């Protein structure tokens, strides 16, 4: 499925966090400065300072923290936070150094003390990195306390909000393509219900996959993996989204749409997610999961499952293969290590063949659309270049089977689908023309009107 | 106090700390890093949360298992249910850590062996003239990935089954604990209002 990047939370939240961090850092600094400057130029002040840092070094040493630099990707805190804190530490250290040369040794013992302090200062500079590394690692430990400020961002990431938005837009496309007069209230209810159902399904998926997500680069920053939210809360959130979502679809739209929504949640959480680790057939199940939302949109509008719904579902179904197979091509190592059964790992030839096959199927399905009276004949003509291009990339992927062709195909699929749906909508068969054709949908239309009345 | 905590932590398993609540501190006893056998089962990094904190703490991903270790808080008046939950979570954490550490290590090792054998078959060395490590391209590695996956299939099946069971049990226990705490709080509230 498409990559779930962390939800770019509001800048304000990030800014608030930085301000909070700065406040904390500033609170610590004055104490050190008091030690530095309080007993001005007194040996005692310098010694206390060095002792403070030495104590830190010794403590870290006991806990045996490694001195190697931590790779950037490992750090939990955003880079600019760390730089802020390291910057504060740096200023402290610079302040310390000028003091030591000032001291004039008055006696042998004091000379020895000075030499010891000089040595420890040298040690300090060398050990500053270990101190930094030690305190950096300490800083990476987070309290597992739910921050209400962060909750919207966390829930957005838990529900894979970007993927949910895509799902809702495909459902809206299905609704828009339905040959009935547009009903805004129904449209909004259907979109909301689908969105809530998708949030629920995604949350349960993440709930099931915590240790696997930890081991894959793409998914290791998910909220449950990072402990930002407890599994119980994730399940409660999923229930709080899923139950109202399905109820909304069942009661506010129509039972068929509600049933499809519930079935889709079941298919995604109880079939697709476990199957990912059992058999390569999971990709086909996942494609069905992706195909159902536009069908739901259509049934929300018309109240029945007719050929147009199946065709839209078919287009989404076929689209899933080039999209997912291309994505999975670059993740073979992670999938293999994590124990995921994907075509790209076990049957690479099949993976590429299926992707190409379904790219070509898109051309066929686009041609069927006017036959079913969903669109005019301009649709297959206008969509041909787009479909040919993705088929060409699919062919390149089939032939070359390398990372660059897979990436090209994946990124193409990202803009191909919205564009195709947009073109489809603009080529939608005008409603009046259809009515003149003999009111095929009179029964359904009547039912749709019935449902719309509050 | 610190010594008592360290001594308690050095003994593996979840025992209640003497003298009321405290933290299951994961630092190894004494100075320096003891050998692996002395470490608590979860493989500690030695982090000790601040004493005033009453929550669990989660750390950076472990190098070998990529899982984030959790240091659990033991409340002074821990109920039986809470204790069961904490012990199950600790045990699951250790079990997960062991599985993934082993899995990742064997993956790396087998990958190295595969690369070595393939390079040897091709007549190349592990390092080329510039001293850089020679690698195989993605297509050659694909054979290894496929092989590794099929070899470990049964192991993964068992792990999946166990993981799902544990996950459900932990979450269900969390729900029970939350309910228990809510009822306890309600009773306390009623008592206070009564007074």
């Amino acid at each position: 499925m498409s990559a779930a990047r962390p939800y770019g939370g509001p800048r304000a939240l990030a800014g608030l966090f930085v301000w909070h961090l700065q406040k904390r850092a500033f609170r610590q600094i004055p104490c050190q400065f008091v030690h530095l400057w309080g007993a001005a130029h007194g040996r005692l002040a310098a010694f206390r300072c060095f002792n403070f840092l030495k104590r830190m070094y010794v403590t870290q040493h006991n806990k045996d923290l490694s001195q190697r630099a931590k790779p950037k990707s490992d750090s939990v805190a955003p880079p600019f936070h760390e730089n802020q804190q390291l910057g504060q530490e740096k200023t402290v250290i610079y302040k310390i150094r000028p003091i030591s040369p000032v001291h004039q040794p008055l006696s042998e013992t004091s000379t020895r003390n000075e030499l010891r302090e000089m040595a420890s200062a040298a040690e300090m500079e060398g050990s500053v990195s270990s101190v930094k590394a030690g305190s950096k690692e300490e800083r990476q430990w987070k309290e597992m306390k739910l921050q209400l400020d962060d909750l919207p961002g966390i829930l957005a990431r838990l529900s894979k909000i970007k993927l949910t938005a895509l799902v809702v837009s495909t459902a809206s496309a299905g609704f828009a393509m339905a040959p009935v007069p547009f009903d805004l209230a129904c449209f909004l209810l259907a979109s909301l219900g689908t969105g809530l159902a998708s949030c629920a399904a995604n949350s349960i998926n993440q709930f099931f996959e915590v240790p696997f997500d930890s081991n894959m680069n793409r998914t290791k920053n998910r909220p449950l993996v990072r402990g930002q939210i407890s599994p119980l809360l994730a399940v409660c959130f999923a229930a709080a989204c899923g139950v109202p979502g399905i109820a909304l679809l069942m009661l506010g739209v129509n039972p068929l749409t509600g049933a499809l929504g519930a079935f889709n949640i079941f298919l995604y959480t109880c079939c697709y997610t476990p199957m990912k680790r059992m058999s390569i057939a999971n990709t086909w199940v996942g494609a069905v999961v992706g195909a159902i939302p536009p069908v739901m949109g259509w049934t929300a509008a018309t109240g029945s499952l007719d050929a147009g719904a199946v065709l839209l579902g078919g287009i989404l179904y076929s689209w899933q293969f080039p999209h997912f197979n291309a994505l999975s091509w670059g993740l073979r190592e992670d999938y293999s290590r994590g124990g995921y059964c994907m075509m790209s790992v076990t049957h690479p030839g099949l993976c590429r063949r299926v992707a190409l096959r379904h790219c070509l199927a898109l051309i066929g399905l686009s041609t069927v659309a006017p036959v079913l009276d969903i669109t005019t004949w301009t649709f297959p003509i206008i969509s041909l270049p787009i479909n040919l291009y993705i088929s060409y990339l699919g062919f390149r992927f089939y032939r070359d089977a390398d990372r660059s062709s897979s990436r090209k195909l994946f990124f193409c699929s990202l803009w191909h689908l919205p564009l195709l749906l947009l073109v489809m909508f603009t080529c939608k068969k005008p409603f009046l023309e259809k009515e003149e054709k003999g009111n095929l949908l009179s029964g359904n239309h009547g039912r749709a009107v019935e449902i719309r009345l509050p | 106090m610190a010594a008592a905590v360290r001594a308690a932590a050095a003994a593996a398993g979840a025992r209640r700390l003497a003298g009321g609540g405290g933290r299951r501190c994961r630092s190894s006893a004494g100075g320096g890093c003891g050998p692996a056998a002395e470490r608590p089962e979860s493989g500690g990094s030695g982090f000790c949360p601040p004493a005033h904190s009453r929550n669990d703490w989660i750390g950076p991903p472990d190098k070998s298992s990529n899982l984030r270790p959790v240091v659990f808080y033991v409340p002074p008046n821990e109920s039986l249910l809470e204790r069961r939950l904490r012990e199950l979570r600790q045990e699951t954490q250790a079990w997960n850590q062991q599985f993934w550490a082993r899995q990742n290590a064997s993956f790396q090792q087998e990958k190295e062996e595969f690369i070595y054998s393939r390079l040897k078959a091709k007549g190349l060395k592990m390092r080329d003239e510039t001293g850089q490590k020679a690698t195989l391209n993605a297509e050659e590695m694909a054979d290894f990935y496929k092989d590794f996956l099929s070899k470990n299939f049964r192991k993964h099946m068992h792990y999946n089954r166990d993981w799902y069971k544990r996950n459900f049990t932990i979450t269900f226990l969390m729900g029970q604990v939350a309910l228990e705490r809510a009822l306890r709080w309600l009773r306390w509230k009623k008592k206070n209002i009564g007074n």
Side-chain angles (χ1 to χ4, degrees):
Chain A
M1 296 297 166
S2 32
R5 257 174 250 110
Y7 175 57
R11 292 275 168 90
L13 279 181
L16 214 74
F17 183 54
V18 172
W19 173 80
H20 175 69
L21 221 60
Q22 275 179 332
K23 241 179 54 155
R24 266 209 327 223
F26 275 129
R27 244 183 275 133
Q28 292 170 7
I29 300 299
C31 304
Q32 292 166 357
F33 284 165
V34 159
H35 276 170
L36 275 174
W37 302 109
H41 302 301
R43 237 170 289 152
L44 196 57
F47 189 65
R48 225 188 288 158
C49 252
F50 287 135
N51 246 357
F52 163 69
L53 284 172
K54 257 204 300 204
R55 233 187 297 126
M56 254 182 85
Y57 171 62
V58 164
T59 321
Q60 302 306 332
H61 194 60
N62 270 341
K63 291 179 186 166
D64 191 57
L65 288 159
S66 63
Q67 289 210 16
R68 64 191 142 107
K70 242 179 171 4
K72 222 17 179 207
S73 56
D74 277 352
S75 72
V76 171
F80 70 92
H81 291 162
E82 278 190 12
N83 287 341
Q84 291 272 1
Q85 291 214 324
L86 291 177
Q88 307 296 1
E89 285 183 19
K90 277 203 184 80
T91 34
V92 172
I93 283 143
Y94 290 147
K95 288 277 193 273
I96 289 170
R97 259 195 250 135
I99 291 178
S100 42
V102 169
H103 295 292
Q104 300 304 321
L106 297 172
S107 66
E108 282 230 339
T109 49
S110 62
T111 323
R112 254 185 278 129
N113 272 342
E114 277 307 317
L115 284 172
R116 224 183 302 135
E117 282 169 8
M118 294 291 219
S120 60
E123 237 182 3
M124 218 75 62
E125 284 168 35
S127 73
V128 153
S129 58
S130 81
V131 164
K132 279 194 208 152
S135 54
K136 212 203 292 190
E137 175 155 338
E138 289 233 329
R139 268 200 302 277
Q140 289 180 340
W141 280 81
K142 304 269 183 247
E143 194 170 7
M144 286 177 84
K145 185 176 172 179
L146 188 64
Q147 309 286 349
L148 285 174
D149 298 337
D150 301 334
L151 195 60
I154 292 171
L155 292 180
R157 268 175 283 145
L158 185 68
S159 59
K160 298 193 213 172
I161 198 84
K162 287 183 182 166
L163 181 62
T164 298
L166 189 67
V167 165
V168 169
S169 59
T170 57
S172 315
F175 192 99
M177 288 308 300
V180 289
F182 183 76
D183 176 14
L184 184 66
C186 190
F187 172 75
L188 291 175
L189 287 176
S191 302
L192 184 63
T194 309
L196 288 172
S198 171
C199 287
N202 288 328
S203 306
I204 297 289
N205 170 268
Q206 291 200 17
F207 164 71
F208 282 159
E209 305 245 287
V210 177
F212 314 118
D213 284 345
S214 318
N215 274 281
M216 290 184 57
N217 277 319
R218 190 171 68 96
T219 51
K220 64 186 179 186
N221 284 316
R222 287 187 171 170
L224 280 171
V225 173
R226 287 169 66 172
Q228 292 172 314
I229 194 174
S230 79
L232 179 69
L233 213 58
V235 172
C236 289
F237 173 70
C241 285
V243 171
I246 299 299
L248 196 64
L249 290 174
M250 279 256 179
L251 306 170
V253 181
N254 60 53
L256 178 61
T257 314
L260 281 172
F263 175 66
N264 212 17
I265 294 180
F266 166 76
L267 206 61
Y268 185 60
T269 57
C270 302
C271 296
Y272 171 71
T273 303
M275 265 180 94
K276 275 165 78 172
R277 307 180 58 77
M278 293 202 282
S279 144
I280 59 170
N282 70 74
T283 311
W284 281 267
V285 173
V288 174
V289 171
I292 287 183
V295 177
M296 282 168 67
W298 184 285
T299 58
T302 66
S304 73
L305 204 60
D306 27 43
V310 177
L311 177 77
L312 268 174
I315 289 180
L316 260 291
Y317 176 82
S318 281
W319 175 83
Q320 302 289 336
F321 290 98
H323 173 76
F324 182 69
N325 287 1
L327 172 69
S328 69
W329 198 257
L331 301 171
R332 281 181 287 180
E333 175 166 356
D334 277 352
Y335 282 146
S336 169
R337 191 164 49 88
Y340 283 107
C341 293
M342 298 295 177
M343 268 194 281
S344 57
V345 182
T346 58
H347 299 76
L350 177 70
C351 177
R352 298 188 327 266
R353 267 200 316 275
V354 165
L356 178 62
R357 210 186 290 162
H358 284 273
C359 285
L360 297 169
L362 283 170
I363 302 178
L365 287 168
S366 303
T367 321
V368 173
V371 174
L372 293 175
D373 265 349
I374 302 167
T375 63
T376 59
W377 277 99
T378 49
F379 173 59
I381 299 167
I382 299 181
S383 66
L384 195 61
I386 314 170
N387 289 334
L388 277 179
Y389 183 62
I390 198 175
S391 303
Y392 165 69
L393 288 179
F395 177 70
R396 287 284 300 271
F397 176 51
Y398 172 74
R399 193 193 59 187
D400 301 341
D402 60 2
R403 198 177 161 79
S404 85
S405 57
S406 72
R407 279 169 65 87
K408 282 208 187 91
L409 181 59
F410 172 70
F411 285 116
C412 173
S413 74
L414 290 179
W415 59 255
H416 169 272
L417 180 69
L419 194 57
L420 188 72
L421 291 175
L422 192 66
V423 171
M424 202 182 198
F425 181 66
T426 54
C427 297
K428 178 182 173 184
K429 202 119 194 206
F431 183 50
L432 288 168
E433 214 180 287
K434 291 263 221 58
E435 282 216 313
E436 282 162 20
K437 277 206 169 175
N439 247 336
L440 295 154
L441 306 150
S442 56
N444 297 336
H445 180 54
R447 235 167 84 199
V449 171
E450 221 179 340
I451 288 158
R452 278 199 301 271
L453 290 172
Chain B
M1 181 57 200
V5 166
R6 272 203 292 275
R15 270 186 359 239
R16 229 197 247 182
L17 289 175
R23 175 88 38 185
R24 188 79 53 236
C25 205
R26 288 161 82 248
S27 53
S28 28
C33 173
E38 273 178 42
R39 285 223 185 114
E41 53 192 316
S42 30
S45 70
F47 172 77
C48 229
H52 62 83
S53 165
R54 289 170 52 220
N55 292 300
D56 301 336
W57 283 68
I58 190 166
D62 181 72
K63 284 284 172 297
S64 52
S65 70
N66 294 317
L67 301 174
R68 288 172 186 260
V70 176
V71 173
F72 296 97
Y73 170 66
V74 189
N77 51 349
E78 191 181 43
S79 73
L80 205 62
L81 212 57
E82 284 172 343
R83 179 178 169 164
R84 253 180 71 198
L85 173 65
R86 181 176 51 83
E87 287 177 356
L88 180 60
R89 285 176 78 190
Q90 273 169 327
E91 204 235 324
T92 302
Q93 186 173 275
W95 169 80
N96 252 335
Q97 168 75 17
Q98 196 195 43
F99 176 84
W100 284 103
R102 245 192 239 156
Q103 172 86 342
N104 291 338
S106 72
F107 183 82
Q108 279 304 117
Q109 193 195 348
E110 290 183 29
K111 185 177 170 189
E112 292 294 327
E113 286 172 7
F114 177 82
I115 292 176
Y116 179 70
S117 66
R118 276 292 170 96
L119 285 173
K120 212 163 110 178
K122 280 211 266 182
L124 297 165
K125 296 235 176 79
M126 277 302 282
R127 283 178 195 278
D128 62 17
E129 303 84 46
T130 59
Q132 274 209 315
K133 216 166 165 185
T135 51
L136 300 171
N137 68 28
E139 295 327 304
E140 291 163 320
M141 290 308 301
D143 290 332
F144 166 68
Y145 298 142
K146 177 176 178 176
D147 197 42
F148 185 82
L149 197 60
S150 46
K151 264 203 300 192
N152 290 277
F153 185 72
R154 281 181 70 84
K155 201 168 33 144
H156 287 143
M157 284 298 103
H158 291 309
Y159 173 78
N160 291 345
R161 197 194 49 206
D162 290 340
W163 160 248
Y164 271 64
K165 265 201 285 194
R166 282 174 188 267
N167 200 21
F168 277 129
T169 314
I170 288 175
T171 311
F172 185 67
L173 269 174
M174 277 183 171
Q176 285 183 307
V177 164
L179 201 65
E180 184 192 62
R181 285 197 189 138
L183 289 172
R184 204 192 304 166
W185 180 82
L186 277 171
R187 251 180 272 140
W188 173 85
K189 221 26 200 195
K190 235 186 352 182
K191 214 184 337 164
N192 268 15
I193 291 172
N195 294 346

